[in-house]
Each structure stands twice: as structure tokens, then as C-alpha cells.
Amino acid sequence: MSAPTAPVGPGVSPALTRPSGPHGPHGADGADGADGSNGSDGPGGPGGPGGPGGSGGSDVASNPAVPTVPPVPPAPLAPADPNGLASPHPDARAGLAALSLRYQIGVAVALAVIAVTVCVHIGMVFLHVAPSNTLTKQHGKAIDNWIYPEFEQNWKLFAPNPLQQNIAVQVRAQINSTDGGIRTTGWYDLSAQDGRAIDGNPLPSHTQQNELRRAWDFFLVTHDAENRPTGLRGSLSESYLRRIVSLRLDHENAAGKGGTIDLVQMRSRTTNVPPPEWSEEQVTDKPVYRVLPWWSAREDGGKDK
């Protein structure tokens, strides 16, 4: 006669409440008995889990001490890419960061070599097309070896003869005083006046920078070495230069009280720019003067002296 079974609650398998019975594991109520695993109520019997009337339970029914483990939910999937492609792993590296340290060092060295080569090439081309200077005289052979024959340049970037001199334009005047006397002023350095006006001025005017210089250049290209005009523009350059110096003398009050400016005379003082101390180039520091004849200060030009 089998022992009474405990009441079965909701969700509790009858196999988990079945005792082993007084007859032991192989008795009538044991694992091999009538109610055992091989009996009528066993896994293979009519009332067992695997039989026609069984509950279809698992092996947990034979061991009531093993707890039921809840299932682990699956890991969430990464959000899909809007373009239909798989999203990259958040720890994935791209570009140079994906390379090992050895390859990163190799790439850095290659980029440095390319940058240095480009800078050297640009400097060599610059010196090749530049006018003759101290660097080209000292390293001309190295420059030619770099340029020829692959990188030969047949165009000119700079002026053929850049200015390497300081040219100062000066003027003096002959003054008629109120007592009928005549006196001659000293030389006014107009270029030095423009230089002082420009020095320290963050926004110098176009007049201060270019008026006098362009007027003197205009005179030189329209006159020969004897200061004679070479064309119709020669007279125009003389009138333009005369007007500029007359205004400058009035601004300096060169005539004084009651005096008038009758004649003006201009000259240029040219000195060579000294070479750097490390250069072997030798130039003279003696100034060269170009003196123009006396001009009338009147607007109609008058007669030259």
C-alpha cells in the first residue's frame, strides 16, 4: 500500500511531490515499482511522463532538490544602419589608428621625408628663378645640379634687375627776400621725410609711399643721362616733379616770412645697400649724385638757370 501523496498546487509537477515510499527505491512505490520510473507511472508507463497519460516532464522530476533555472534573455541587437549595412563595432578603429605602432612610425617617417623634399624643391626653384644674389652666387652649382635637366624653368618670376640701392631725392631752393636779396637754402631730404611719416604708421597713405618715388622714376625713364627729355612725356614729367617739390617746400616754409621761391634744384643721392656680414661681396659705400639743373618754381615753367 503506497503512502499518501502531498497535495499538488498550481504549477507543481506531481512527480516532484511523490515520495520514495516505504519500500525503497526499488519497492512497489520506488523508482522501479509500480509507481516508479519503470512502473505504470514511470517515464515509460501509461501514467509516466513519457507514457500515454504522462505529463511530459523532464529529468528534474527524479531529483526534487534541483531548482528550476529561468531562461536567459537574448542580447539586444545593434541598431541597423540606415543604409542597410551592418553597424561597425563600437571598439573598431579606422585609418592610421588601425595600424600597429610599427606601421604608424613608418607612415610618420615617410610623410616627414616627403614634406622635407617638397620644401627643398620649392626653395631650389625659388633660387633658380630669382635674380643673382648672395645665395645663388655661393650655392649656384648645387642649385643647378638639383634643377637640371628635369626641373628646368624658362620663365621669369622676378624683375631682371631688382633695386639694391637706396635712392634719396633732395631739393633746395633760391629765395627772393623782401629786401631784394637772394639766398639759397640747404638741401631738404624729401625721401627721409616720407620715411619718417611711414615709420610706425600702420596705415600710411599712398602719397607718402609712392608719390615722390614714382615721380622720380617717371623723370628718369623720360630723360637721358644729360637730363634732356627724350620725348613729349619728358616735359610732363618735369612739370609733375616741379609741382611736387614746390608744395613740399611751401609746407616746410622754406621761403620764410615775406620771401618767395624763385628757383628749385633737385638731385638724387644713391648709395648701395651693404651686403650681410657673412657675404664676401664687396660694394662701395660712396654715394653717387645726379644733379638736375635749376628750374623755375612758377607754374608756367619760366626759364631754367
Side-chain angles (χ1 to χ4, degrees):
M1 183 175 182
S2 62
T5 60
V8 179
V12 179
S13 174
L16 295 179
T17 61
R18 184 181 300 276
S20 58
H23 299 288
H26 300 286
D29 295 334
D32 295 331
D35 296 332
S37 59
N38 294 331
S40 59
D41 292 335
S55 61
S58 61
D59 293 339
V60 179
S62 62
N63 190 0
V66 178
T68 304
V69 180
V72 179
L77 299 178
D81 189 87
N83 297 326
L85 301 176
S87 299
H89 195 274
D91 295 335
R93 295 181 297 175
L96 294 178
L99 300 177
S100 62
L101 179 60
R102 181 179 61 180
Y103 287 103
Q104 289 181 7
I105 294 175
V107 171
V109 172
L111 292 177
V113 171
I114 293 174
V116 171
T117 303
V118 171
C119 292
V120 171
H121 178 71
I122 293 176
M124 289 295 187
V125 174
F126 177 86
L127 294 175
H128 174 67
V129 300
S132 179
N133 53 67
T134 304
L135 285 178
T136 56
K137 292 178 181 178
Q138 186 174 358
H139 304 287
K141 185 176 180 180
I143 296 173
D144 291 342
N145 291 338
W146 180 279
I147 294 296
Y148 294 106
E150 290 85 2
F151 308 114
E152 180 181 3
Q153 306 292 321
N154 57 2
W155 50 276
K156 297 298 181 181
L157 179 62
F158 302 96
N161 187 19
L163 187 63
Q164 297 181 355
Q165 298 171 328
N166 290 323
I167 300 177
V169 179
Q170 302 172 347
V171 64
R172 65 178 179 175
Q174 184 173 315
I175 308 298
N176 294 330
S177 59
T178 55
D179 58 0
I182 298 176
R183 65 181 178 90
T184 302
T185 66
W187 290 100
Y188 291 86
D189 195 336
L190 305 182
S191 297
Q193 294 177 4
D194 289 346
R196 288 192 295 268
I198 295 173
D199 189 20
N201 186 356
L203 298 173
S205 67
H206 177 76
T207 301
Q208 294 169 337
Q209 297 180 81
N210 299 316
E211 181 186 56
L212 181 64
R213 178 180 61 84
R214 295 294 298 273
W216 184 254
D217 290 342
F218 184 28
F219 176 84
L220 294 181
V221 298
T222 55
H223 288 73
D224 59 16
E226 300 298 328
N227 300 320
R228 294 173 299 193
T230 57
L232 298 177
R233 290 164 54 88
S235 300
L236 178 63
S237 66
E238 290 180 9
S239 299
Y240 182 48
L241 198 56
R242 183 188 294 114
R243 179 173 299 182
I244 291 175
V245 298
S246 297
L247 292 175
R248 295 288 187 93
L249 290 172
D250 289 341
H251 184 268
E252 295 292 329
N253 194 22
K257 185 177 181 180
T260 58
I261 299 177
D262 183 30
L263 300 173
V264 294
Q265 186 181 32
M266 300 184 65
R267 73 177 183 180
S268 65
R269 182 179 184 272
T270 303
T271 55
N272 292 317
V273 176
E277 297 179 356
W278 48 266
S279 174
E280 298 179 356
E281 185 178 1
Q282 300 293 329
V283 296
T284 180
D285 57 354
K286 184 179 179 180
V288 177
Y289 294 92
R290 179 170 179 171
V291 182
L292 305 186
W294 285 92
W295 293 341
S296 173
R298 297 193 301 269
E299 288 295 332
D300 57 3
K303 291 184 178 180
D304 297 339
K305 181 178 178 180

